[in-house]
């Protein structure tokens, strides 16, 4: 990609496109990238097209299973990393002085496997002297360990109508019925086999309550604290489950009209009452990036990272 192929100066928008380019190069999936950068899949595609137009070369080749870098994309990769890292270092040099310290963060599996990696990487570039210690667990256990002083911050899933006192509401999470294949709406009185997390879990509570309200007979045939285990059971056809609509795994079907309506879940943040400068810096950083995007994010494949969440009136 010779310099003469660049069709104009780089702008702030191009920096965002380079970050999206790096995410797509890493995930090989537009849906996973969209979930990671908190944009719609169409917005990710538009960013890549504009970057390709700027550089005058195709950066990715699409196959039926994966998105692969072209030779031009391979050449861009180290330069894109250098530009993004330099931008992070520049911001770190002037933002709030140099923050030093430790941050102990607790997080559920599904958030840890989707939103968190990009947030941690970006924060580490901006604040290289902050040491991050991350633990994944059930939300119920995260809250207990937070109250015992084991964490400075915890991300938790909650019922929006029963958020724990002191928790900051970050975003609402629309939910969907999901199965291995498209299924007709169940008839009133029918048994409904379900694959869910153990109680207490907001997704479990939503599924059972919605099924019962529709006159169905919910039957939890498979319970696993791991989202990866739940997804595997659904793929095997054992039953239906409930997942965030924005990240339904590839190959599973979102069940449509006639299925009982599902109330939303909520993503919240609990922070220690006396945060250090490092903890407060990460709390502000994570809060801004976990907040709901302006456009609904698309579905993305599940990413098993840690055990799956559950909590009091929450997951």
């Amino acid at each position: 990609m010779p310099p003469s192929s660049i069709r104009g100066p780089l702008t702030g928008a191009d920096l965002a496109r380079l970050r999206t380019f790096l995410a797509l190069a890493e995930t090989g999936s537009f849906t996973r990238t969209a979930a990671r950068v908190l944009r719609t899949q169409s917005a990710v595609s538009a960013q890549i097209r504009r970057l390709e137009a700027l550089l005058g070369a195709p950066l990715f080749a699409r196959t039926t299973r994966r998105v692969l870098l072209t030779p031009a994309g391979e050449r861009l990769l180290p330069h894109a990393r250098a530009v993004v890292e330099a931008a992070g270092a520049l911001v770190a040099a002037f933002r709030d002085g140099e923050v030093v310290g430790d941050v102990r963060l607790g997080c559920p599996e599904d958030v840890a496997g989707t939103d968190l990696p990009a947030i941690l990487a970006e924060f580490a570039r901006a604040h290289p002297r902050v040491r991050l210690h991350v633990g994944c667990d059930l939300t119920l256990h995260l809250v207990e360990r937070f109250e015992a002083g084991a964490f400075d911050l915890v991300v938790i899933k909650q019922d929006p109508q029963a958020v724990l006192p002191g928790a900051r509401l970050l975003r609402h999470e629309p939910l969907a019925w999901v199965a291995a294949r498209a299924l007709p709406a169940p008839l009133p009185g029918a048994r409904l086999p379900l694959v869910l997390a153990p109680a207490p879990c907001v997704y479990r509570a939503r599924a059972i309550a919605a099924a019962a309200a529709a006159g169905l007979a919910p039957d939890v045939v498979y319970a696993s604290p791991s989202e990866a285990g739940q997804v595997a059971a659904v793929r095997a056809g054992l039953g239906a489950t409930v997942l965030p609509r924005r990240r339904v795994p590839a190959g599973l079907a979102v069940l449509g009209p006639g299925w009982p309506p599902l109330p939303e879940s909520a993503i919240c943040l609990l922070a220690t009452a006396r945060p250090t400068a490092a903890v407060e810096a990460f709390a502000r950083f994570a809060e801004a990036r976990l907040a709901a995007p302006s456009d609904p994010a698309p579905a993305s494949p599940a990413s098993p990272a840690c055990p799956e969440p559950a909590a009091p009136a929450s997951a």
Side-chain angles (χ1 to χ4, degrees):
M1 190 185 310
S4 60
S5 68
I6 298 178
R7 304 181 180 182
L10 291 176
T11 66
D14 294 323
L15 182 60
R17 291 165 192 151
L18 287 175
R19 290 194 178 101
T20 300
F21 164 80
L22 291 174
L24 184 55
E26 181 178 340
T27 65
S29 163
F30 277 92
T31 53
R32 288 186 182 183
T33 297
R36 178 174 294 189
V37 302
L38 296 181
R39 291 179 177 270
T40 62
Q41 187 172 343
S42 60
V44 168
S45 298
Q47 281 190 314
I48 297 301
R49 285 196 303 272
R50 287 172 187 144
L51 190 58
E52 290 174 331
L54 173 69
L55 300 177
L59 301 175
F60 293 95
R62 285 73 165 173
T63 70
T64 55
R65 296 180 60 84
R66 189 170 172 82
V67 180
L68 303 174
L69 286 168
T70 63
E74 293 282 3
R75 292 198 299 275
L76 176 62
L77 195 58
H79 299 292
R81 287 192 182 121
V83 169
V84 170
E85 288 171 5
L90 176 64
V91 171
F94 290 92
R95 180 189 291 163
D96 301 328
E98 189 170 18
V99 181
V100 180
D102 291 81
V103 176
R104 300 168 303 161
L105 172 68
C107 192
E109 173 198 357
D110 49 357
V111 177
T114 52
D115 301 314
L116 195 60
I119 292 173
L120 294 178
E122 188 179 354
F123 183 83
R125 288 193 296 267
H127 300 285
R129 297 190 63 189
V130 174
R131 293 177 296 275
L132 296 167
H133 309 273
V134 182
C136 298
D137 208 334
L138 309 173
T139 295
L140 175 62
H141 298 162
L142 290 174
V143 172
E144 291 173 346
R145 292 167 67 186
F146 172 79
E147 292 175 344
F151 291 117
D152 303 306
L153 301 163
V154 288
V155 178
I156 55 177
K157 296 190 295 186
Q158 296 277 278
D159 179 339
Q161 306 304 317
V163 173
L164 283 174
R168 309 177 195 175
L169 177 62
L170 302 183
R171 71 167 184 252
H172 291 273
E173 193 80 277
L175 303 177
W177 291 101
V178 178
R181 56 184 176 82
L183 298 174
L187 298 175
R191 169 182 169 270
L192 182 60
L194 296 172
V195 174
L196 299 169
C201 167
V202 71
Y203 297 171
R204 179 190 178 103
R206 291 287 195 257
I208 291 174
L216 303 173
D219 181 10
V220 180
V221 298
Y222 188 98
S224 171
S226 164
E227 184 176 285
Q230 295 166 37
V231 169
V234 172
R235 289 192 191 280
L238 299 186
T241 191
V242 168
L243 291 173
R245 184 174 291 275
R246 65 190 290 267
R247 55 176 188 78
V248 174
L252 296 185
V254 174
L255 305 178
W259 281 79
L262 290 164
E264 294 179 325
S265 174
I267 302 297
C268 300
L269 182 70
L270 275 174
T272 183
R274 296 183 178 180
T276 63
V279 170
E280 183 59 33
F282 185 81
R284 293 197 308 268
F285 192 91
E287 188 171 0
R289 284 152 181 79
L290 285 171
S294 56
D295 295 319
S300 69
S303 177
C306 314
E308 158 72 0
S314 66

